[in-house]
Amino acid sequence: MKSKVESSWSLKMKNSAQLLFSSFLLLPLILFLGGSVMAQNTTVSFNVGVVLDFDTWVGKMGLSCIPMALSDFYAAHSFYKTRLVLHTRDSKKDVVGAASAALDLLKNVEVQAIIGPETSAQANFVLDLGDKAQVPIVSFSATSPSLSSKQNSYFIRAAQNDSSQVKAISAIVQAFGWREAVPIYEDTDYGNGVIPYLTDAFQEIDTRVPYRSVISPSATDDEILAELYKLMTMQTRVFIVHMSRSLCSRFFPKVKEVGMMDEGYVWIITDGLTNLLNSMDPTVIDSMQGVLGLRTYVPKSKDLDNFTARWRKKLQQNNTDFERSGLNIFGLWAYDSVWALAKAAEKIGGTTISFQNPEVAENTTDLAAIGVSQIGPKLLQAVLRTRFRGLSGEFNLLHGQLQSTVFQLVNVIGNGAREIGFWTPLNGIVRELNANGMNKYTTSISNLRAIIWPGESTTAPKGWVIPTSGKKLRIGVPVKDGFSEFVKVTRDPSTNVTTVTGYCIDVFDAVMKALPYAVPYEYIPFANSDGKSAGTYNDLVYQVFLQNYDAAVGDTTIIANRSQYVDFTLPYTESGVSMIVPVKDDERKNAWIFLKPLSRNLWLTSGAFFIYTGFVIWVLEHRINDDFRGPLGHQLGTIFWFSFSTLVFAHSNFSSPL
Ligand SMILES: *[C@@H]1O[C@H](CO)[C@@H](O)[C@H](O)[C@H]1NC(C)=O
Ligand SMILES: *[C@@H]1O[C@H](CO)[C@@H](O)[C@H](O)[C@H]1NC(C)=O
Ligand SMILES: *[C@@H]1O[C@H](CO)[C@@H](O)[C@H](O)[C@H]1NC(C)=O
Ligand SMILES: *[C@@H]1O[C@H](CO)[C@@H](O)[C@H](O)[C@H]1NC(C)=O
Ligand SMILES: *[C@@H]1O[C@H](CO)[C@@H](O)[C@H](O)[C@H]1NC(C)=O
């Protein structure tokens, strides 16, 4: 433009003689043009480091989204006075690599914030550097709950921590009533971090964790196989898998190989894996058919659709596996982190940006020579207070991390994942989000869509089998003669095999059968080698106390001395079984009930005897006894009086009626 203006002026002035004058005029114009370019460039650059592994899926995702986030942001906010300037470093899949990259950025570039690092183990070290230099470390992929902003105040997690999903996992386990579950996790900061939270969540729903399977990230295929064979012999069939993508890609094909992807098995993967499901190799997905998983739910939005389309277009040229797998949540979190930082930078943009470098003493190392960012505390507060609607949903930091939201539950079928429901912190398992009116926490299977389990089964596995290995419970039973209804030990003399029968044994068998998991046990008679009783009931109880038996079954009376050594069950011989019968009107409460036995015939008989007794007495007495003489009325009166008096008086020898 400048040259065009210049030439037009020179054209006009060509035939003029006042060339000197023209060049005199040109000077302020050029100055003016230069001035306007200067005026547009008053933006302050704001150095931000990016530390990611260039070769991992999550790293590539971040690297593809972060520059797009930056250009999108300043396209939408062109009037902003600050401009983030990115300095990207490769951490080379290594803790020390991440630390040295961060150190380089802090010391040589004097960055004001760092996005990354990628893994929780790397973050562990880098966070301490950030604290020392007062530089916020914004990670969108270090999800281990062992890292927290309580310990490292300059740590900002633009993601959810892994422990926010444990309630969702335990809700699934509770919904299907599985009483035992085995976590399988990799032996890294990422893997270990969530296990205590998971165990606690299971404890709350009375689900036992009988065993924890730890797999080293560098485990060989043989070591993985050995571990799987071990798990196979145990009774639990519910496994929670929490590991990195690279280990998972080797793990599940082995699972399928040993036949643990058959009917009866339950596999649940945590959100770290489910989020990356799209990126897995088709052969790995093939070995994961029937697996359940949960992933962070991303609400649909126009901005997201728009961004996804542009992302695809931009990366289409390369056409590698990475581009074909599509965008995932880590890219969105990275995108939102950049926006949050850019907003925060603008908020504090006016202040001078400087690092205060310590006085470097002799023989100090690089670590001791890191400066301290002067705007660090302000920037941290600005980022923490940033609120906006990002691509991954509401960007709202609480205690230095994104608040936990909704998880989408999925079932791996075909070459991808199929949604089977949602889990929300408030409502538990629900089929649809935004279902109105429901404010109760439920964990009901009926809220889930149909699930295809491993082995293409459609019935929910019960979660356990009778183990092929493991200790049997040793149950002592008394041997005795006499009353054999409760316990009877019979021994076949030809084979020496003992069989135990009786009411107590039946009760015990029934109880063990009703347990929601398998407990193998065997009855061991409390007998000598010749089959005779080895002692009294006291001795048997004492053997349980000595742990020679795990329990004893039999008609043992509960007495004070014995209960000092063992715990008794409630007595069950008086089982309290009763019948329910309809109630009849209770006549016994009637005041006239005493009349009931006095039937009419009885009254007649009594009356007849009354008269008959009086008559007989009259016949015998009236000739000698004056009382039975006189007028007829008097005689009748005496007769009846006498009969009546026999009811009331005890007549003695002397024959006075009174
Ligand atoms: C504007 O400032 C940026 C960063 O400070 C710089 O890289 C760029 O060259 C400047 N542009 C002009 C036209 O001076
Ligand atoms: C992890 O997230 C949960 C739920 O958002 C929260 O309650 C917990 O405090 C977080 N833990 C850490 C260590 O940040
Ligand atoms: C620095 O190192 C040199 C050589 O090891 C040593 O002679 C000197 O005393 C050290 N200085 C300090 C201040 O430790
Ligand atoms: C059964 O046990 C008795 C006593 O221990 C022993 O003498 C006998 O040989 C055993 N019989 C068989 C068939 O094992
Ligand atoms: C209680 O039983 C034990 C074991 O049978 C016995 O050694 C002990 O003497 C008993 N104690 C009393 C107070 O009866």
Side-chain angles (χ1 to χ4, degrees), residues 244-272:
S244 63
R245 178 177 171 276
S246 56
L247 182 56
C248 166
S249 308
R250 291 194 290 131
F251 179 76
F252 275 106
K254 291 286 163 232
V255 170
K256 173 138 185 162
E257 191 184 311
V258 300
M260 288 176 80
M261 269 294 163
D262 288 350
E263 198 171 336
Y265 287 88
V266 179
W267 295 90
I268 301 176
I269 53 176
T270 56
D271 72 343

PDB file of all heavy atoms in Angstrom, residues 244-272:
ATOM      1  N   SER A 244      -3.395 -46.941  31.396  1.00  0.00           N
ATOM      2  CA  SER A 244      -3.183 -46.026  30.275  1.00  0.00           C
ATOM      3  C   SER A 244      -3.539 -46.728  28.969  1.00  0.00           C
ATOM      4  O   SER A 244      -3.670 -47.945  28.913  1.00  0.00           O
ATOM      5  CB  SER A 244      -1.735 -45.583  30.252  1.00  0.00           C
ATOM      6  OG  SER A 244      -0.932 -46.706  30.026  1.00  0.00           O
ATOM      7  N   ARG A 245      -3.664 -45.918  27.933  1.00  0.00           N
ATOM      8  CA  ARG A 245      -4.068 -46.449  26.642  1.00  0.00           C
ATOM      9  C   ARG A 245      -3.076 -47.473  26.122  1.00  0.00           C
ATOM     10  O   ARG A 245      -3.456 -48.507  25.578  1.00  0.00           O
ATOM     11  CB  ARG A 245      -4.185 -45.291  25.663  1.00  0.00           C
ATOM     12  CG  ARG A 245      -4.544 -45.694  24.282  1.00  0.00           C
ATOM     13  CD  ARG A 245      -4.704 -44.480  23.394  1.00  0.00           C
ATOM     14  NE  ARG A 245      -4.836 -44.902  22.024  1.00  0.00           N
ATOM     15  CZ  ARG A 245      -3.817 -45.185  21.226  1.00  0.00           C
ATOM     16  NH1 ARG A 245      -2.596 -45.086  21.679  1.00  0.00           N
ATOM     17  NH2 ARG A 245      -4.022 -45.583  19.997  1.00  0.00           N
ATOM     18  N   SER A 246      -1.785 -47.210  26.321  1.00  0.00           N
ATOM     19  CA  SER A 246      -0.787 -48.100  25.724  1.00  0.00           C
ATOM     20  C   SER A 246      -0.814 -49.469  26.398  1.00  0.00           C
ATOM     21  O   SER A 246      -0.728 -50.498  25.724  1.00  0.00           O
ATOM     22  CB  SER A 246       0.599 -47.475  25.828  1.00  0.00           C
ATOM     23  OG  SER A 246       0.884 -47.177  27.168  1.00  0.00           O
ATOM     24  N   LEU A 247      -0.963 -49.491  27.733  1.00  0.00           N
ATOM     25  CA  LEU A 247      -1.014 -50.787  28.417  1.00  0.00           C
ATOM     26  C   LEU A 247      -2.314 -51.504  28.068  1.00  0.00           C
ATOM     27  O   LEU A 247      -2.333 -52.720  27.849  1.00  0.00           O
ATOM     28  CB  LEU A 247      -0.894 -50.579  29.930  1.00  0.00           C
ATOM     29  CG  LEU A 247      -0.874 -51.836  30.782  1.00  0.00           C
ATOM     30  CD1 LEU A 247       0.245 -52.771  30.349  1.00  0.00           C
ATOM     31  CD2 LEU A 247      -0.725 -51.504  32.253  1.00  0.00           C
ATOM     32  N   CYS A 248      -3.390 -50.746  27.984  1.00  0.00           N
ATOM     33  CA  CYS A 248      -4.699 -51.319  27.663  1.00  0.00           C
ATOM     34  C   CYS A 248      -4.677 -52.003  26.305  1.00  0.00           C
ATOM     35  O   CYS A 248      -5.282 -53.053  26.114  1.00  0.00           O
ATOM     36  CB  CYS A 248      -5.736 -50.210  27.705  1.00  0.00           C
ATOM     37  SG  CYS A 248      -7.290 -50.633  26.961  1.00  0.00           S
ATOM     38  N   SER A 249      -3.935 -51.415  25.353  1.00  0.00           N
ATOM     39  CA  SER A 249      -3.884 -51.989  24.005  1.00  0.00           C
ATOM     40  C   SER A 249      -3.215 -53.354  24.008  1.00  0.00           C
ATOM     41  O   SER A 249      -3.451 -54.166  23.128  1.00  0.00           O
ATOM     42  CB  SER A 249      -3.095 -51.083  23.063  1.00  0.00           C
ATOM     43  OG  SER A 249      -3.585 -49.795  23.120  1.00  0.00           O
ATOM     44  N   ARG A 250      -2.385 -53.605  25.007  1.00  0.00           N
ATOM     45  CA  ARG A 250      -1.773 -54.935  25.093  1.00  0.00           C
ATOM     46  C   ARG A 250      -2.596 -55.840  25.998  1.00  0.00           C
ATOM     47  O   ARG A 250      -2.590 -57.053  25.854  1.00  0.00           O
ATOM     48  CB  ARG A 250      -0.347 -54.808  25.649  1.00  0.00           C
ATOM     49  CG  ARG A 250       0.593 -54.124  24.673  1.00  0.00           C
ATOM     50  CD  ARG A 250       2.014 -54.319  25.084  1.00  0.00           C
ATOM     51  NE  ARG A 250       2.321 -53.572  26.287  1.00  0.00           N
ATOM     52  CZ  ARG A 250       2.941 -54.089  27.342  1.00  0.00           C
ATOM     53  NH1 ARG A 250       3.308 -55.343  27.345  1.00  0.00           N
ATOM     54  NH2 ARG A 250       3.208 -53.340  28.386  1.00  0.00           N
ATOM     55  N   PHE A 251      -3.296 -55.215  26.958  1.00  0.00           N
ATOM     56  CA  PHE A 251      -3.968 -55.995  27.995  1.00  0.00           C
ATOM     57  C   PHE A 251      -5.208 -56.731  27.466  1.00  0.00           C
ATOM     58  O   PHE A 251      -5.336 -57.940  27.628  1.00  0.00           O
ATOM     59  CB  PHE A 251      -4.352 -55.056  29.145  1.00  0.00           C
ATOM     60  CG  PHE A 251      -5.072 -55.713  30.276  1.00  0.00           C
ATOM     61  CD1 PHE A 251      -4.383 -56.498  31.182  1.00  0.00           C
ATOM     62  CD2 PHE A 251      -6.433 -55.556  30.437  1.00  0.00           C
ATOM     63  CE1 PHE A 251      -5.038 -57.106  32.226  1.00  0.00           C
ATOM     64  CE2 PHE A 251      -7.092 -56.158  31.476  1.00  0.00           C
ATOM     65  CZ  PHE A 251      -6.396 -56.936  32.379  1.00  0.00           C
ATOM     66  N   PHE A 252      -6.100 -56.000  26.801  1.00  0.00           N
ATOM     67  CA  PHE A 252      -7.366 -56.633  26.423  1.00  0.00           C
ATOM     68  C   PHE A 252      -7.214 -57.764  25.396  1.00  0.00           C
ATOM     69  O   PHE A 252      -7.911 -58.778  25.518  1.00  0.00           O
ATOM     70  CB  PHE A 252      -8.385 -55.583  26.000  1.00  0.00           C
ATOM     71  CG  PHE A 252      -9.127 -55.020  27.174  1.00  0.00           C
ATOM     72  CD1 PHE A 252      -8.871 -53.746  27.643  1.00  0.00           C
ATOM     73  CD2 PHE A 252     -10.072 -55.789  27.853  1.00  0.00           C
ATOM     74  CE1 PHE A 252      -9.540 -53.243  28.749  1.00  0.00           C
ATOM     75  CE2 PHE A 252     -10.740 -55.297  28.951  1.00  0.00           C
ATOM     76  CZ  PHE A 252     -10.478 -54.018  29.399  1.00  0.00           C
ATOM     77  N   PRO A 253      -6.310 -57.632  24.400  1.00  0.00           N
ATOM     78  CA  PRO A 253      -6.130 -58.792  23.527  1.00  0.00           C
ATOM     79  C   PRO A 253      -5.718 -60.048  24.305  1.00  0.00           C
ATOM     80  O   PRO A 253      -6.153 -61.155  23.982  1.00  0.00           O
ATOM     81  CB  PRO A 253      -5.026 -58.332  22.573  1.00  0.00           C
ATOM     82  CG  PRO A 253      -5.192 -56.858  22.508  1.00  0.00           C
ATOM     83  CD  PRO A 253      -5.598 -56.450  23.881  1.00  0.00           C
ATOM     84  N   LYS A 254      -4.923 -59.868  25.350  1.00  0.00           N
ATOM     85  CA  LYS A 254      -4.518 -61.030  26.169  1.00  0.00           C
ATOM     86  C   LYS A 254      -5.721 -61.577  26.928  1.00  0.00           C
ATOM     87  O   LYS A 254      -5.874 -62.783  27.098  1.00  0.00           O
ATOM     88  CB  LYS A 254      -3.438 -60.620  27.166  1.00  0.00           C
ATOM     89  CG  LYS A 254      -2.119 -60.292  26.516  1.00  0.00           C
ATOM     90  CD  LYS A 254      -1.410 -61.554  26.058  1.00  0.00           C
ATOM     91  CE  LYS A 254      -0.346 -61.191  25.066  1.00  0.00           C
ATOM     92  NZ  LYS A 254      -0.388 -61.923  23.816  1.00  0.00           N
ATOM     93  N   VAL A 255      -6.564 -60.671  27.422  1.00  0.00           N
ATOM     94  CA  VAL A 255      -7.770 -61.094  28.144  1.00  0.00           C
ATOM     95  C   VAL A 255      -8.613 -61.988  27.249  1.00  0.00           C
ATOM     96  O   VAL A 255      -9.092 -63.044  27.656  1.00  0.00           O
ATOM     97  CB  VAL A 255      -8.584 -59.855  28.580  1.00  0.00           C
ATOM     98  CG1 VAL A 255      -9.939 -60.268  29.108  1.00  0.00           C
ATOM     99  CG2 VAL A 255      -7.826 -59.069  29.628  1.00  0.00           C
ATOM    100  N   LYS A 256      -8.753 -61.550  26.016  1.00  0.00           N
ATOM    101  CA  LYS A 256      -9.558 -62.330  25.074  1.00  0.00           C
ATOM    102  C   LYS A 256      -8.879 -63.675  24.790  1.00  0.00           C
ATOM    103  O   LYS A 256      -9.533 -64.710  24.727  1.00  0.00           O
ATOM    104  CB  LYS A 256      -9.720 -61.528  23.793  1.00  0.00           C
ATOM    105  CG  LYS A 256     -10.388 -62.304  22.716  1.00  0.00           C
ATOM    106  CD  LYS A 256     -11.401 -61.494  21.975  1.00  0.00           C
ATOM    107  CE  LYS A 256     -12.103 -62.398  20.999  1.00  0.00           C
ATOM    108  NZ  LYS A 256     -13.323 -61.915  20.512  1.00  0.00           N
ATOM    109  N   GLU A 257      -7.561 -63.608  24.685  1.00  0.00           N
ATOM    110  CA  GLU A 257      -6.799 -64.817  24.349  1.00  0.00           C
ATOM    111  C   GLU A 257      -7.005 -65.917  25.399  1.00  0.00           C
ATOM    112  O   GLU A 257      -7.172 -67.077  25.048  1.00  0.00           O
ATOM    113  CB  GLU A 257      -5.323 -64.422  24.252  1.00  0.00           C
ATOM    114  CG  GLU A 257      -4.421 -65.474  23.668  1.00  0.00           C
ATOM    115  CD  GLU A 257      -2.969 -64.998  23.722  1.00  0.00           C
ATOM    116  OE1 GLU A 257      -2.702 -63.856  23.299  1.00  0.00           O
ATOM    117  OE2 GLU A 257      -2.118 -65.765  24.215  1.00  0.00           O
ATOM    118  N   VAL A 258      -7.003 -65.549  26.676  1.00  0.00           N
ATOM    119  CA  VAL A 258      -7.139 -66.581  27.705  1.00  0.00           C
ATOM    120  C   VAL A 258      -8.598 -66.925  27.975  1.00  0.00           C
ATOM    121  O   VAL A 258      -8.894 -67.714  28.861  1.00  0.00           O
ATOM    122  CB  VAL A 258      -6.461 -66.177  29.027  1.00  0.00           C
ATOM    123  CG1 VAL A 258      -4.995 -65.939  28.836  1.00  0.00           C
ATOM    124  CG2 VAL A 258      -7.126 -64.954  29.632  1.00  0.00           C
ATOM    125  N   GLY A 259      -9.509 -66.326  27.234  1.00  0.00           N
ATOM    126  CA  GLY A 259     -10.918 -66.692  27.388  1.00  0.00           C
ATOM    127  C   GLY A 259     -11.618 -65.988  28.525  1.00  0.00           C
ATOM    128  O   GLY A 259     -12.622 -66.466  29.042  1.00  0.00           O
ATOM    129  N   MET A 260     -11.101 -64.842  28.923  1.00  0.00           N
ATOM    130  CA  MET A 260     -11.787 -64.108  29.992  1.00  0.00           C
ATOM    131  C   MET A 260     -12.728 -63.046  29.424  1.00  0.00           C
ATOM    132  O   MET A 260     -13.185 -62.172  30.134  1.00  0.00           O
ATOM    133  CB  MET A 260     -10.771 -63.470  30.934  1.00  0.00           C
ATOM    134  CG  MET A 260     -10.079 -64.513  31.804  1.00  0.00           C
ATOM    135  SD  MET A 260      -8.805 -63.815  32.842  1.00  0.00           S
ATOM    136  CE  MET A 260      -9.754 -63.126  34.175  1.00  0.00           C
ATOM    137  N   MET A 261     -12.986 -63.134  28.125  1.00  0.00           N
ATOM    138  CA  MET A 261     -14.008 -62.265  27.525  1.00  0.00           C
ATOM    139  C   MET A 261     -15.230 -63.097  27.188  1.00  0.00           C
ATOM    140  O   MET A 261     -15.958 -62.807  26.247  1.00  0.00           O
ATOM    141  CB  MET A 261     -13.457 -61.592  26.261  1.00  0.00           C
ATOM    142  CG  MET A 261     -12.807 -60.272  26.532  1.00  0.00           C
ATOM    143  SD  MET A 261     -14.001 -59.064  27.096  1.00  0.00           S
ATOM    144  CE  MET A 261     -12.907 -57.860  27.788  1.00  0.00           C
ATOM    145  N   ASP A 262     -15.391 -64.191  27.959  1.00  0.00           N
ATOM    146  CA  ASP A 262     -16.521 -65.070  27.704  1.00  0.00           C
ATOM    147  C   ASP A 262     -17.678 -64.728  28.622  1.00  0.00           C
ATOM    148  O   ASP A 262     -17.571 -63.841  29.462  1.00  0.00           O
ATOM    149  CB  ASP A 262     -16.095 -66.530  27.914  1.00  0.00           C
ATOM    150  CG  ASP A 262     -15.183 -66.999  26.798  1.00  0.00           C
ATOM    151  OD1 ASP A 262     -15.074 -66.256  25.809  1.00  0.00           O
ATOM    152  OD2 ASP A 262     -14.582 -68.069  26.933  1.00  0.00           O
ATOM    153  N   GLU A 263     -18.725 -65.483  28.464  1.00  0.00           N
ATOM    154  CA  GLU A 263     -19.908 -65.257  29.271  1.00  0.00           C
ATOM    155  C   GLU A 263     -19.562 -65.384  30.754  1.00  0.00           C
ATOM    156  O   GLU A 263     -18.761 -66.225  31.142  1.00  0.00           O
ATOM    157  CB  GLU A 263     -20.969 -66.293  28.895  1.00  0.00           C
ATOM    158  CG  GLU A 263     -22.343 -65.885  29.332  1.00  0.00           C
ATOM    159  CD  GLU A 263     -23.407 -66.803  28.757  1.00  0.00           C
ATOM    160  OE1 GLU A 263     -23.157 -67.424  27.716  1.00  0.00           O
ATOM    161  OE2 GLU A 263     -24.468 -66.872  29.380  1.00  0.00           O
ATOM    162  N   GLY A 264     -20.165 -64.528  31.565  1.00  0.00           N
ATOM    163  CA  GLY A 264     -19.954 -64.602  33.004  1.00  0.00           C
ATOM    164  C   GLY A 264     -18.979 -63.567  33.514  1.00  0.00           C
ATOM    165  O   GLY A 264     -18.929 -63.313  34.710  1.00  0.00           O
ATOM    166  N   TYR A 265     -18.196 -62.976  32.621  1.00  0.00           N
ATOM    167  CA  TYR A 265     -17.224 -61.975  33.063  1.00  0.00           C
ATOM    168  C   TYR A 265     -17.801 -60.578  32.926  1.00  0.00           C
ATOM    169  O   TYR A 265     -18.615 -60.306  32.039  1.00  0.00           O
ATOM    170  CB  TYR A 265     -15.940 -62.058  32.236  1.00  0.00           C
ATOM    171  CG  TYR A 265     -15.092 -63.261  32.576  1.00  0.00           C
ATOM    172  CD1 TYR A 265     -15.296 -64.475  31.937  1.00  0.00           C
ATOM    173  CD2 TYR A 265     -14.111 -63.173  33.553  1.00  0.00           C
ATOM    174  CE1 TYR A 265     -14.523 -65.586  32.257  1.00  0.00           C
ATOM    175  CE2 TYR A 265     -13.338 -64.276  33.868  1.00  0.00           C
ATOM    176  CZ  TYR A 265     -13.545 -65.471  33.227  1.00  0.00           C
ATOM    177  OH  TYR A 265     -12.782 -66.558  33.542  1.00  0.00           O
ATOM    178  N   VAL A 266     -17.357 -59.692  33.822  1.00  0.00           N
ATOM    179  CA  VAL A 266     -17.774 -58.294  33.760  1.00  0.00           C
ATOM    180  C   VAL A 266     -16.511 -57.442  33.723  1.00  0.00           C
ATOM    181  O   VAL A 266     -15.637 -57.589  34.586  1.00  0.00           O
ATOM    182  CB  VAL A 266     -18.603 -57.903  35.002  1.00  0.00           C
ATOM    183  CG1 VAL A 266     -18.993 -56.447  34.918  1.00  0.00           C
ATOM    184  CG2 VAL A 266     -19.819 -58.776  35.136  1.00  0.00           C
ATOM    185  N   TRP A 267     -16.407 -56.584  32.742  1.00  0.00           N
ATOM    186  CA  TRP A 267     -15.261 -55.676  32.647  1.00  0.00           C
ATOM    187  C   TRP A 267     -15.781 -54.254  32.619  1.00  0.00           C
ATOM    188  O   TRP A 267     -16.646 -53.915  31.813  1.00  0.00           O
ATOM    189  CB  TRP A 267     -14.444 -55.965  31.389  1.00  0.00           C
ATOM    190  CG  TRP A 267     -13.791 -57.311  31.409  1.00  0.00           C
ATOM    191  CD1 TRP A 267     -14.316 -58.477  30.942  1.00  0.00           C
ATOM    192  CD2 TRP A 267     -12.501 -57.624  31.943  1.00  0.00           C
ATOM    193  NE1 TRP A 267     -13.427 -59.500  31.150  1.00  0.00           N
ATOM    194  CE2 TRP A 267     -12.294 -59.009  31.767  1.00  0.00           C
ATOM    195  CE3 TRP A 267     -11.483 -56.882  32.552  1.00  0.00           C
ATOM    196  CZ2 TRP A 267     -11.139 -59.663  32.161  1.00  0.00           C
ATOM    197  CZ3 TRP A 267     -10.332 -57.529  32.949  1.00  0.00           C
ATOM    198  CH2 TRP A 267     -10.169 -58.904  32.762  1.00  0.00           C
ATOM    199  N   ILE A 268     -15.246 -53.422  33.511  1.00  0.00           N
ATOM    200  CA  ILE A 268     -15.646 -52.011  33.522  1.00  0.00           C
ATOM    201  C   ILE A 268     -14.376 -51.188  33.354  1.00  0.00           C
ATOM    202  O   ILE A 268     -13.403 -51.389  34.094  1.00  0.00           O
ATOM    203  CB  ILE A 268     -16.329 -51.644  34.850  1.00  0.00           C
ATOM    204  CG1 ILE A 268     -17.571 -52.508  35.059  1.00  0.00           C
ATOM    205  CG2 ILE A 268     -16.701 -50.169  34.874  1.00  0.00           C
ATOM    206  CD1 ILE A 268     -18.259 -52.284  36.387  1.00  0.00           C
ATOM    207  N   ILE A 269     -14.336 -50.279  32.391  1.00  0.00           N
ATOM    208  CA  ILE A 269     -13.154 -49.438  32.224  1.00  0.00           C
ATOM    209  C   ILE A 269     -13.453 -48.029  32.716  1.00  0.00           C
ATOM    210  O   ILE A 269     -14.585 -47.550  32.630  1.00  0.00           O
ATOM    211  CB  ILE A 269     -12.656 -49.423  30.755  1.00  0.00           C
ATOM    212  CG1 ILE A 269     -13.767 -49.053  29.798  1.00  0.00           C
ATOM    213  CG2 ILE A 269     -12.056 -50.750  30.378  1.00  0.00           C
ATOM    214  CD1 ILE A 269     -13.295 -48.936  28.362  1.00  0.00           C
ATOM    215  N   THR A 270     -12.429 -47.388  33.244  1.00  0.00           N
ATOM    216  CA  THR A 270     -12.612 -46.047  33.811  1.00  0.00           C
ATOM    217  C   THR A 270     -12.604 -45.009  32.694  1.00  0.00           C
ATOM    218  O   THR A 270     -12.325 -45.318  31.544  1.00  0.00           O
ATOM    219  CB  THR A 270     -11.491 -45.735  34.811  1.00  0.00           C
ATOM    220  OG1 THR A 270     -10.244 -45.894  34.142  1.00  0.00           O
ATOM    221  CG2 THR A 270     -11.552 -46.657  35.996  1.00  0.00           C
ATOM    222  N   ASP A 271     -12.883 -43.760  33.057  1.00  0.00           N
ATOM    223  CA  ASP A 271     -13.112 -42.769  32.005  1.00  0.00           C
ATOM    224  C   ASP A 271     -11.848 -42.451  31.214  1.00  0.00           C
ATOM    225  O   ASP A 271     -11.936 -42.096  30.045  1.00  0.00           O
ATOM    226  CB  ASP A 271     -13.778 -41.509  32.562  1.00  0.00           C
ATOM    227  CG  ASP A 271     -12.837 -40.675  33.403  1.00  0.00           C
ATOM    228  OD1 ASP A 271     -11.798 -41.218  33.823  1.00  0.00           O
ATOM    229  OD2 ASP A 271     -13.138 -39.496  33.644  1.00  0.00           O
ATOM    230  N   GLY A 272     -10.668 -42.612  31.840  1.00  0.00           N
ATOM    231  CA  GLY A 272      -9.434 -42.361  31.103  1.00  0.00           C
ATOM    232  C   GLY A 272      -9.347 -43.211  29.846  1.00  0.00           C
ATOM    233  O   GLY A 272      -8.885 -42.761  28.803  1.00  0.00           O
TER     234      GLY A 272
END
